[in-house]
């Protein structure tokens, strides 16, 4: 390649991948094997002691997965990445490396519902507390921080859509508190936004969504930006204390600006175990090659659909940062100028019943609880994902009785709009 830094689409196709050294295969082969033969006893010993990089067992490393990891690290501008079984596994391994009982995470309330559950229930049962920032501004994060805080956690473009966070403002709060700033970049993808450029120390992904993009493979990723000084902070024993099982090695000293990714691999994946299958890694590598094309089409379609809905008499409001009058329009122009994503919400004048009828009447849209598929998706949260909540709780979560959430696919936009039009007429 030339001396110039390759562009995004070039990296999306080439980063991490070379023709297979033994067969010449141009596409990355699926190394569907659990284990790898050692050259000799000394080689085995150096792999187990972390003195040499190499493959031992697919729970910890695999050559197909390694291509996915290098590609995601490159696209996000990080020093290293780790691919795991799902987005939730990425979150589990990240906080496993940072937290001890009695410590807390300061997190945004505007997050994926599954993440709110994971933090509120399972993480609390580990003794990891969560303090929710009430507002979207940097100050509401600063207000929650205390001496036991070990991380600040947000989504760049937040669920259920329309919200683009003040990434730089909140990064300053984390920096002042001396804790890593963790950004879930699932909804934006690195095509739209690279949180490392705006102060993120760790970037997380559910690769299941737009990165995979076809609704067929689960996966997650942890990207180490290499920016956080673990030794200076002294609050993260897993990274800085000697590890007896690795000859008293201190990971932060031995691995420098990749220490966090290595820690999640050699302690997190080793002990907790949520490895991605080589088959799924292959599916995700393939999908990422077209990420730029797909995301641009998703965003272009979403903006046209949002404008159509905004002008429709049955629709009371549309929350999409791509619309000029949206409260998050400026943040969108600053952090993800190529597009505001493809997931957004709108309200129906006919309330709960109209929401249910709209979902029933749609033919092209699939009614399901996912985002980031090539296909257009719809859900009425009040009658599905959020039905167990009270009306007040529903509204606080952005899932009031009239709210419909869509994830706009990459079909012909005229067909998406005409499907909405006929269903709105029926509703
Ligand atoms: C889906 C999702 C997750 C969880 O990822 P899984 O791959 O489903 O485990 C985390 N964060 C966001 C923003 C998501 O949309």
């Amino acid at each position: 390649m030339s001396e110039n830094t390759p562009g995004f689409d070039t990296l999306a196709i080439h980063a991490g991948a070379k023709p297979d050294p033994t067969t010449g295969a141009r596409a990355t082969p699926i190394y569907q094997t659990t284990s790898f033969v050692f050259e000799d006893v000394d080689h085995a010993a150096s792999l187990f002691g972390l003195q040499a990089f190499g493959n031992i067992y697919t729970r910890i490393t695999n050559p197909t997965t390694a291509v996915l990891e290098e590609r995601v690290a490159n696209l996000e501008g990080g020093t290293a990445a780790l691919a795991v079984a799902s987005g939730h596994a990425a979150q589990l391994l990240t906080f496993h490396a940072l937290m001890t009982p009695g410590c807390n995470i300061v997190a945004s309330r505007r997050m994926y519902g599954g993440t709110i559950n994971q933090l509120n229930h399972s993480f609390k049962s580990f003794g990891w507390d969560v303090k929710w920032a009430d507002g979207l501004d940097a100050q509401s994060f600063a207000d929650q921080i205390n001496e036991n805080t070990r991380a600040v956690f947000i989504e760049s473009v937040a669920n259920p859509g329309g919200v683009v966070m003040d990434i730089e403002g909140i990064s300053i709060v984390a920096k002042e508190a001396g804790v890593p700033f963790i950004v879930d970049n699932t909804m934006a993808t690195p095509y739209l936004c690279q949180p490392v450029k705006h102060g993120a120390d760790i970037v997380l992904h559910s690769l299941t969504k737009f990165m995979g993009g076809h609704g067929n493979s689960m996966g997650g990723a942890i990207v180490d930006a290499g920016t956080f000084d673990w030794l200076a902070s002294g609050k993260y024993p897993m990274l800085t204390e000697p590890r007896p099982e690795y000859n008293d090695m201190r990971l932060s000293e031995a691995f420098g600006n990749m220490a966090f990714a290595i820690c999640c691999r050699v302690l997190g994946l080793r002990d907790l175990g949520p490895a991605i299958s080589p088959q799924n890694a292959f599916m995700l590598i393939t999908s990422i090659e077209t990420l730029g094309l797909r995301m641009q089409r998703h965003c272009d379609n979403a903006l046209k659909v949002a404008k159509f809905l905004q002008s429709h008499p049955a629709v009371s409001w549309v929350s999409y940062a791509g619309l000029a009058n949206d409260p998050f329009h400026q943040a969108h122009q600053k952090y993800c100028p190529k597009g505001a994503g493809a997931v957004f919400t709108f309200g129906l004048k006919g309330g709960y019943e109209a929401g249910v009828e709209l979902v029933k009447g749609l033919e092209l849209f699939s009614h399901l609880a996912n985002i980031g598929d090539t296909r257009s998706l719809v859900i009425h949260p009040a009658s599905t994902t959020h039905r167990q909540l009270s009306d007040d709780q529903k509204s606080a979560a952005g899932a009031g009785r009239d709210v419909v959430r869509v994830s706009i696919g990459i079909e012909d936009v005229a067909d998406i709009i005409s499907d909405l039009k006929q269903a709105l007429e029926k509703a």
Side-chain angles (χ1 to χ4, degrees):
M1 246 177 264
S2 70
E3 282 171 29
N4 300 333
T5 316
F8 185 89
D9 289 323
T10 306
L11 288 174
I13 292 167
H14 292 284
K18 293 191 278 297
D20 186 56
T22 47
T23 63
R26 181 61 267 218
T28 299
I30 306 172
Y31 286 93
Q32 189 72 23
T33 180
T34 56
S35 16
F36 302 85
V37 176
F38 306 120
E39 288 161 21
D40 53 36
V41 174
D42 289 344
H43 177 229
S46 65
L47 291 178
F48 277 101
L50 301 183
Q51 274 102 25
F53 281 109
N55 298 305
I56 301 176
Y57 191 58
T58 284
R59 173 155 28 86
I60 301 172
T61 58
N62 174 281
T64 308
T65 304
V67 173
L68 174 62
E69 293 170 337
E70 195 172 332
R71 189 161 297 172
V72 174
N74 263 274
L75 294 178
E76 286 289 4
T79 54
L82 178 71
V84 293
S86 67
H88 268 15
Q91 293 171 187
L92 174 63
L93 263 56
T94 294
F95 291 109
H96 169 253
L98 301 177
M99 304 295 287
T100 46
C103 294
N104 68 66
I105 304 162
V106 171
S108 168
R109 272 195 201 279
R110 294 305 286 262
M111 284 199 152
Y112 171 66
T115 298
I116 293 177
N117 275 335
Q118 189 188 39
L119 270 62
N120 260 341
H121 300 291
S122 289
F123 283 12
K124 281 191 180 164
S125 78
F126 302 157
W128 309 343
D129 201 7
V130 53
K131 290 163 70 71
W132 298 106
D134 288 318
L136 297 171
D137 56 314
Q139 187 57 42
S140 43
F141 287 79
D143 290 345
Q144 295 301 320
I145 287 178
N146 65 22
E147 71 282 4
N148 294 325
T149 301
R150 290 293 175 276
V152 173
F153 185 27
I154 68 163
E155 290 174 8
S156 47
V157 173
N159 239 309
V163 177
V164 181
M165 298 294 287
D166 175 15
I167 307 173
E168 283 175 12
I170 301 166
S171 86
I172 292 167
V173 169
K175 211 151 263 138
E176 281 171 356
V179 301
F181 181 41
I182 303 173
V183 178
D184 179 335
N185 201 33
T186 299
M187 295 257 282
T189 82
Y191 175 74
L192 295 180
C193 175
Q194 288 165 316
V196 171
K197 289 191 181 149
H198 304 291
D201 299 300
I202 298 163
V203 176
L204 300 183
H205 274 283
S206 169
L207 301 175
T208 314
K209 312 294 169 53
F210 292 97
M211 295 286 270
H214 297 70
N216 59 19
S217 307
M218 302 290 299
I222 300 168
V223 181
D224 188 348
T227 44
F228 195 81
D229 189 340
W230 308 102
L231 273 173
S233 124
K235 292 178 187 168
Y236 302 93
M238 213 180 269
L239 283 126
T240 56
E241 291 298 304
R243 297 301 310 188
E245 70 272 54
Y246 296 123
N247 275 320
D248 286 342
M249 178 186 277
R250 295 169 199 266
L251 298 178
S252 52
E253 279 174 7
F255 297 107
N257 66 4
M258 298 195 299
F260 187 75
I262 302 271
C263 180
C264 291
R265 187 188 301 284
V266 303
L267 301 179
L269 263 181
R270 185 195 69 180
D271 293 354
L272 302 178
I276 188 170
S277 75
Q279 169 77 41
N280 275 13
F282 170 81
M283 299 295 280
L284 295 165
I285 291 165
T286 306
S287 299
I288 289 172
E289 293 179 5
T290 55
L291 180 65
L293 290 172
R294 288 188 289 105
M295 279 314 283
Q296 194 60 59
R297 177 68 168 260
H298 275 294
C299 292
D300 294 349
N301 279 0
L303 182 59
K304 287 177 189 150
V305 172
K307 284 182 175 159
F308 160 76
L309 289 168
Q310 201 175 33
S311 67
H312 196 283
V315 173
S316 44
W317 55 266
V318 180
S319 170
Y320 183 60
L323 295 171
N325 62 344
D326 190 87
F328 297 99
H329 191 67
Q330 265 188 321
H332 144 61
Q333 286 179 321
K334 173 170 180 182
Y335 292 114
C336 47
K338 284 186 280 196
V343 179
F344 67 90
T345 52
F346 59 95
L348 292 172
K349 288 182 187 153
Y352 186 93
E353 285 69 29
V356 171
E357 287 307 312
L358 176 75
V359 168
K360 270 193 212 159
L362 286 165
E363 288 162 11
L364 184 63
F365 279 76
S366 305
H367 180 208
L368 52 73
N370 191 23
I371 56 171
D373 197 319
T374 47
R375 288 154 275 262
S376 291
L377 313 175
V378 65
I379 198 160
H380 177 230
S383 61
T384 54
T385 50
H386 291 66
R387 74 177 298 139
Q388 72 276 25
L389 303 184
S390 69
D391 281 354
D392 282 352
Q393 287 172 322
K394 283 191 185 91
S395 303
R401 290 170 58 83
D402 63 328
V403 177
V404 176
R405 187 190 77 188
V406 286
S407 173
I408 300 300
I410 57 176
E411 302 99 334
D412 287 281
V413 71
D415 295 328
I416 300 172
I417 289 175
S418 81
D419 193 35
L420 281 165
K421 201 179 214 165
Q422 62 82 20
L424 282 167
E425 266 157 34
K426 279 194 252 170

